Amino acid sequence: MSDQELTELIQKVSQEYFGKPFIHRAMFNSRLRTTGGRFHLNDRHIDINLRIYQEFGNQALIGVIKHELCHYHLYNDGLPAQHKDRSFKVLLKQVGGLRYSPIQSTVKSKTYHVYECSKCHTIYRRVKK
């Protein structure tokens, strides 16, 4: 899927679920690691993690698009658009968007190395070897 096709999909989802147009651009961003997408306030474009589409399919992609469109439309209407805000939570539930990215569950947790002092036997946990 190209960036143009992604923008067209977002425009279609925006009209179908929100009844409002999406007039900015959208693109895949392969640098995103743990988040499904990002709405940029300065120029109002949307980045979507390419792994969402590749690894989780079209349904997860549409769920992430709905999530980002909630930020987009609330911000454009001058309403609170953060994750903690009630207006965001209510709108997200109405349109059936994903609350959390499916990528977060696949991210590895940190590995800790355990060291013990040979004299006092104190245990030290470190991330770096």
Side-chain angles (χ1 to χ4, degrees):
M1 179 181 282
S2 68
D3 289 345
Q4 179 62 33
E5 291 171 331
L6 176 66
T7 302
E8 290 170 3
L9 177 63
I10 291 178
Q11 289 170 346
K12 179 183 163 203
V13 169
S14 180
Q15 270 304 344
E16 186 176 332
Y17 289 95
F18 295 88
K20 297 177 183 179
F22 174 75
I23 57 173
H24 293 87
R25 62 188 168 96
M27 63 189 71
F28 284 111
N29 186 344
S30 59
R31 292 176 296 170
L32 297 176
R33 295 286 178 225
T34 59
T35 156
R38 181 175 295 143
F39 166 61
H40 294 267
L41 298 175
N42 55 357
D43 62 355
R44 298 187 181 158
H45 78 275
I46 293 177
D47 287 342
I48 301 291
N49 190 331
L50 183 59
R51 287 180 51 206
I52 293 289
Y53 179 64
Q54 292 173 339
E55 295 178 17
F56 300 99
N58 205 32
Q59 284 301 107
L61 177 64
I62 290 175
V64 170
I65 288 171
K66 289 177 185 177
H67 178 106
E68 298 308 323
L69 283 173
C70 285
H71 290 298
Y72 176 81
H73 289 300
L74 287 171
Y75 183 77
N76 287 341
D77 292 343
L79 297 170
Q82 293 182 351
H83 292 119
K84 65 180 180 179
D85 296 321
R86 179 168 173 75
S87 58
F88 176 81
K89 291 177 184 178
V90 168
L91 183 60
L92 187 64
K93 192 171 186 177
Q94 285 176 355
V95 296
L98 292 178
R99 177 90 166 111
Y100 300 102
S101 170
I103 289 182
Q104 289 178 337
S105 61
T106 62
V107 175
K108 285 184 173 180
S109 61
K110 290 183 180 179
T111 303
Y112 289 96
H113 301 281
V114 180
Y115 297 99
E116 183 178 355
C117 177
S118 58
K119 292 185 180 181
C120 67
H121 301 289
T122 303
I123 304 281
Y124 297 98
R125 296 178 192 270
R126 297 286 182 257
V127 175
K128 290 185 178 181
K129 213 170 187 177

